[in-house]
Structures are given as structure tokens and as C-alpha cells.
Amino acid sequence: MNQLVSLADIQQAAARIRPVARVTPLLDLSPALPASSGAKRLSVKCENLQPAGAFKIRGAYNMLAQLDEAERSRGVVTYSSGNHAQSLALAAHLLGIRAVIVMPTTAPDIKIAGTRRYGAEVLFEGTTTLERKARAEAEASARGLTMVPPFDHPWIIAGQGTIGLEIVDQCPGVETVYVQVGGGGLISGIAAAIRRVKPTFKIIGVEPAGAPKMSTSLKAGRPVTLPRTASVADGLLAVRPGDLTFVHVQALVDEVVTVEDAAILGALRWLFGEAKLVVEPSGAITVAAALGGTGGRFDGPAVAVLSGGNVAPEAFARYLTGPDRL
């Protein structure tokens, strides 16, 4: 248990990121829920409204703000499919730090453009997290850059955990919280916060059926590397959970479930149609689980985290009007 991020760590992160990260709204969408929904009362935590369009600004800024002057002067490097890339680039810009970002060759153009807009240098490497990580480590060694991992670091986890503190404050009666699972930093932080403040809450992780890295690892009792991942939820395609995030999920999360792409796109359409919210597929996956009753049916209030809204207009139009499988 001493590996777990503490409540004090998360509370300190909340104070540290306050000048930059928004306290995002919690919207009650219960009146619009279909009769067949697994959740009878559902609110959404709108992290798609954060600077750089995703929750990642919380962890990125929390980590950069704690670097010493020598580390800042040398610059930082990370690897990311897009949202951590943009958020780190923004945090580095605000703090006057040079940033190098390794992105997959398949990264969406909107996320590449967003990263460059904040002044970061963008490099491309492979299509998997492990390929990007290896390139970032090589760049760090060659250039003396400080590595800022996208999820597997206590400062990153603590920053993401500030969402958990806000959920408890905004909806103290909530019974179930649905959280995306990519590498595991978001759910690790939220679970670390909520378990210390409201231990009776049920925390459900949600990952794409085509990228079940955390659920597979939990069954094996150790982090497992998948041979490949594929899903419309491009932000959740890590092939392996982090070592530290796995420990958090194993200790603090009730269940990790998977959702098919068709349900993800259905939730994306529902969010736009009923709430006029623009959410990327990775952000909509939690609502897909709640609407489908994945993880059980609960009469008490549920909260689904909308992790991001970085989606190209042309892609969003396809998601709204096209087939369930793209």
C-alpha cells in the first residue's frame, strides 16, 4: 500500500494546478436517460472543457511545476497518442520549458496540430506505446531531457486524482463512478482520491473491447503486454498498463469492464444529441458503459468522466452520421 498515491499528495496537487486547470462542471443528464439505461441517475464530469481539451493538463502541470531549475532548463520529453502531448506542451509553454513529444505515426492531425501550437517539437515513432516510449527514452538520454511519463508516475497520478476530489465535492451522494482506462493514470488518481474520502463508492474502469490491457492484466495478476490493440477510442490504445497504475487499480478499483466500438459511438451521438457536448470516442466510453448497464445496474447516482474532446470536425461528423464501425 505504500506505493499508492496519498490523499495529501492529491490535495497538494489540487493547490498546485489551481491557476491552470479548471474545476470542470458536473452536468446532470438524468432527464435524458433512455428507459433501458443501466444508470437511473447519471451526471458527466466535463474534462473535455479543460485547457488543451482533456484531463491530462492536471497531471502534466502537476509534474512540471515540481521540477527543479536544472531539470527545467534542460527541457522535457514525453510520449503520447495525443492528449498528454497537447497538455504537456501547454504546461511547458506556461512554465517556459522546452518540450519534445514523441507521437505515433497514426496520431490524429488535430492532436498533432494542437501539440505544435503550444511550441513543442513533435517526433513520430511507430504505432504502439512501447515504440513511442523507447524513442522518448533515447531522446532523453541523448539530449539530457527529463522524462514526463503519460501515466505511470506518482506526480501524474496525483494530478489526475484531483478530479476525484471534485466529483465528491460536486456530487457527494454519488454511488458509482465510471472512469476510462488507457495506461491507467486517470483511474488510479481518481480511485486514490475517492477511496480515502468516500470508500463506499463503486469505481468501474472502462476500456475498449479491442484494447483490454488492464482487464487482461488483472486476470493474470500482473501487468500484461497485448500483441496489438484496435479501437475507435484512439486515446485508450496502450498495449500495457503501467506498473504503478496496475498496483493502484488492483488495490482500489472494483471492476474493469470492456465496451465495443458500436456502443462507444452510440454514446458519443447521445451526448451530442441530448447535451450538445463534443466528446471524442475515448471520452464517451464511460457513458457507453453506464447506458448499457456494463458493470451492473444501480439506482443510485452515477458519474461518468468525459476525459476529452479533441476530435477533428470531419471525424466527428463521420461518427455522428456514419456506421457504428469505421
Side-chain angles (χ1 to χ4, degrees):
M1 293 293 286
N2 61 357
Q3 296 184 64
L4 302 183
V5 168
S6 71
L7 179 60
D9 293 330
I10 299 168
Q11 291 169 330
Q12 290 163 13
R16 196 174 290 118
I17 69 175
R18 190 169 293 126
V20 175
R22 297 183 180 121
V23 176
T24 52
L26 193 77
L27 302 182
D28 184 2
L29 301 185
S30 301
L33 286 172
S36 60
S37 172
K40 297 303 182 185
R41 285 177 280 172
L42 178 68
S43 297
V44 292
K45 180 65 168 161
C46 297
E47 288 295 294
N48 55 313
L49 302 181
Q50 283 291 1
F55 75 95
K56 292 280 193 177
I57 188 64
R58 296 173 182 265
Y61 193 86
N62 186 51
M63 183 160 184
L64 291 195
Q66 295 183 77
L67 299 181
D68 62 34
E69 287 304 316
E71 291 168 323
R72 293 189 185 197
S73 66
R74 291 195 298 270
V76 297
V77 64
T78 195
Y79 50 98
S80 167
S81 62
N83 283 338
H84 180 64
Q86 293 176 93
S87 296
L88 181 68
L90 174 57
H93 171 73
L94 293 173
L95 292 167
I97 300 172
R98 178 168 61 104
V100 177
I101 317 290
V102 181
M103 302 183 74
T105 57
T106 53
D109 289 342
I110 190 171
K111 295 184 178 182
I112 298 169
T115 303
R116 286 176 169 155
R117 184 169 63 249
Y118 300 122
E121 176 186 350
V122 177
L123 305 174
F124 298 97
E125 188 69 36
T127 59
T128 71
T129 305
L130 298 182
E131 290 170 319
R132 297 192 292 277
K133 180 181 179 183
R135 175 68 183 278
E137 289 171 341
E139 295 293 331
S141 177
R143 302 205 228 177
L145 303 170
T146 298
M147 177 68 74
V148 182
F151 48 82
D152 207 32
H153 191 285
W155 293 353
I156 297 292
I157 292 171
Q160 321 306 25
T162 58
I163 298 171
L165 297 181
E166 292 176 19
I167 288 173
V168 172
D169 182 61
Q170 293 169 320
C171 189
V174 69
E175 294 182 6
T176 308
V177 181
Y178 293 90
V179 188
Q180 291 80 356
V181 180
L186 176 61
I187 194 168
S188 294
I190 289 177
I194 288 177
R195 280 285 174 255
R196 274 51 174 266
V197 181
K198 294 284 187 178
T200 59
F201 285 12
K202 183 165 185 176
I203 302 170
I204 300 176
V206 189
E207 56 188 354
K213 84 297 292 180
M214 188 65 79
S215 51
T216 301
S217 297
L218 290 171
K219 289 176 184 175
R222 57 180 175 78
V224 170
T225 301
L226 301 179
R228 66 188 64 84
T229 55
S231 172
V232 69
D234 64 274
L236 305 177
L237 297 183
V239 296
R240 183 186 189 279
D243 294 327
L244 186 57
T245 60
F246 175 78
V247 170
H248 278 74
V249 172
Q250 190 179 49
L252 302 174
V253 174
D254 292 286
E255 185 179 4
V256 177
V257 300
T258 60
V259 174
E260 297 288 346
D261 279 4
I264 295 172
L265 293 177
L268 179 149
R269 295 174 189 133
W270 183 80
L271 284 164
F272 183 74
E274 298 296 339
K276 303 301 179 275
L277 290 171
V278 175
V279 182
E280 62 188 283
S282 300
I285 192 172
T286 49
V287 173
L291 292 179
T294 307
R297 298 179 66 93
F298 305 98
D299 292 330
V303 169
V305 177
L306 306 182
S307 57
N310 289 313
V311 55
E314 60 275 13
F316 194 68
R318 289 199 310 273
Y319 298 153
L320 290 178
T321 61
D324 287 338
R325 298 185 183 278
L326 299 177

